[in-house]
Amino acid sequence: MNDTVTNDESAFAKAKKSPPQHKACVAFYNLENLFDTHDDPEKLDEDFTPRGEYNWTDKRLKNKLRKLSTVISKIGATETGEAPSLLGVAEVETTEVLEQLVATKTLQEYNYGVVHYESPDERGIDVGLLYRKAHFEVLESEAINVYVETEPGVQDYTRDILHVHGKLLGMPVHVLVNHWPSRRQGAEETAHKRIAVAQRCREIIAQIKDKNPDARIIIMGDFNDDPHSEAVKNHLVQSDFYNPMVFLLTRYEGSLNHRFEWYLFDQLILSTNFMQLHHNPFRYDASKIYNDVSLTEFKGKFKGNPFRTYAGKRYLGGYSDHFPVYTIFDINPMKTN
């Protein structure tokens, strides 16, 4: 990527924003297997077809898109009065299915654009970025491959890291969208994979900072690790970054629940220049889990858990097995150094 080195504050002060606002929301949401209904012979996606084991039909897809669009429109709305400026997503199959999502009746008024690349993931699930065109200008984007191994010499084809460089309400920012390897074979047994992706993120960060030491960077994603896990705490978050999500995980709350235990795999991590208290035109305000009761199981032993689309292979018709997470920024273009 060919980044132009700029002074963040002066660029922001001169930028014309539409519409003007005092707060902005940046969010991340794992959409739980947002597949189209077509069988792609190059992907292991046949289960998510009308004749597949999940009986994934156009009707079910449209229902999921409708429900997801309702959730997305409400993330951060209490604080900002509108839908997120940026939304990173995971577990999406194609650009087309994301375009269907942003074209739903609920979201079309926000005029979202889509950044998505096909990754080498065997199932065909990728990450992406939705951005409101009035709030964010894409300057450059790329999918960055990650090499991890299941065992020495055997590659595990995982998701790429999506790097988007743009201007968020006039402020130059870099966004890294992640979906790290799962814990399916055990947390300890697969930890080396997530450490490898964390180290790849640090390589990308170093390249960004070589061109602009003052670059503002937002790392987001489903890390399949909590904020206190080794890959996140010791390999990704160093002195130049702050992870506000460490305060959100409790025994009663998280972004997903597995076997009656809460986890916070979904996180937004910020370069420390967002934390500067004074003379900061784009400052961190708060991070939250969007776990409104409407997104949860209403009754039974899983009451309060995310209301998911499938439980195993049983169709429930819910939203996702993850709650969205989001960060609010205070904007004051008059504060310049």
Side-chain angles (χ1 to χ4, degrees), residues 161-177:
I161 300 168
L162 175 60
H163 177 193
V164 181
H165 177 212
K167 291 184 178 181
L168 176 56
L169 294 168
M171 175 64 74
V173 297
H174 294 264
V175 182
L176 303 181
V177 189

Side-chain angles (χ1 to χ4, degrees), residues 149-336:
E149 295 181 337
T150 53
E151 57 186 78
V154 180
Q155 183 175 0
D156 182 7
Y157 293 93
T158 189
R159 279 75 60 173
D160 293 333
I161 300 168
L162 175 60
H163 177 193
V164 181
H165 177 212
K167 291 184 178 181
L168 176 56
L169 294 168
M171 175 64 74
V173 297
H174 294 264
V175 182
L176 303 181
V177 189
N178 295 255
H179 186 189
W180 290 7
S182 77
R183 297 182 167 200
R184 192 168 292 111
Q185 281 76 43
E188 294 298 324
E189 291 80 359
T190 57
H192 69 280
K193 299 181 183 181
R194 293 183 293 280
I195 290 172
V197 186
Q199 292 170 340
R200 187 73 175 102
C201 278
R202 291 303 315 189
E203 292 173 1
I204 299 167
I205 291 164
Q207 293 168 4
I208 293 170
K209 290 191 170 188
D210 281 344
K211 298 174 181 178
N212 181 5
D214 298 320
R216 291 179 182 249
I217 304 171
I218 301 172
I219 311 170
M220 62 170 68
D222 175 354
F223 297 98
N224 271 301
D225 265 335
D226 288 322
H228 295 290
S229 299
E230 180 183 2
V232 176
K233 184 178 179 181
N234 298 333
H235 292 272
L236 180 62
V237 180
Q238 299 177 10
S239 61
D240 54 344
F241 278 84
Y242 174 70
N243 189 357
M245 316 302 286
V246 296
F247 303 106
L248 299 184
L249 177 62
T250 71
R251 62 183 297 183
Y252 306 107
E253 286 189 318
S255 61
L256 70 154
N257 191 292
H258 180 62
R259 295 180 178 177
F260 305 101
E261 184 173 354
W262 284 104
Y263 296 88
L264 190 63
F265 291 170
D266 308 278
Q267 301 168 54
L268 292 106
I269 301 168
L270 311 173
S271 55
T272 52
N273 42 14
F274 285 108
M275 315 308 297
Q276 179 183 327
L277 290 178
H278 304 292
H279 308 294
N280 191 347
F282 209 113
R283 187 179 69 186
Y284 170 79
D285 180 37
S287 291
K288 299 181 181 181
I289 303 167
Y290 184 64
N291 54 2
D292 186 82
V293 66
S294 63
L295 276 65
T296 66
E297 294 270 6
F298 291 137
K299 59 183 179 179
K301 64 179 180 178
F302 299 113
K303 182 179 180 180
N305 286 7
F307 181 29
R308 56 197 302 167
T309 307
Y310 283 90
K313 296 178 181 178
R314 183 166 62 93
Y315 180 68
L316 301 179
Y319 303 85
S320 171
D321 54 353
H322 290 241
F323 291 133
V325 294
Y326 67 99
T327 291
I328 300 297
F329 295 93
D330 283 326
I331 301 171
N332 188 348
M334 299 305 294
K335 291 183 178 180
T336 57

Side-chain angles (χ1 to χ4, degrees), residues 69 72-73 83 101-112:
S69 67
I72 292 168
S73 70
L101 175 62
V102 301
T104 54
K105 183 178 180 180
T106 304
L107 292 184
Q108 62 183 359
E109 67 177 286
Y110 298 108
N111 194 24
Y112 278 101

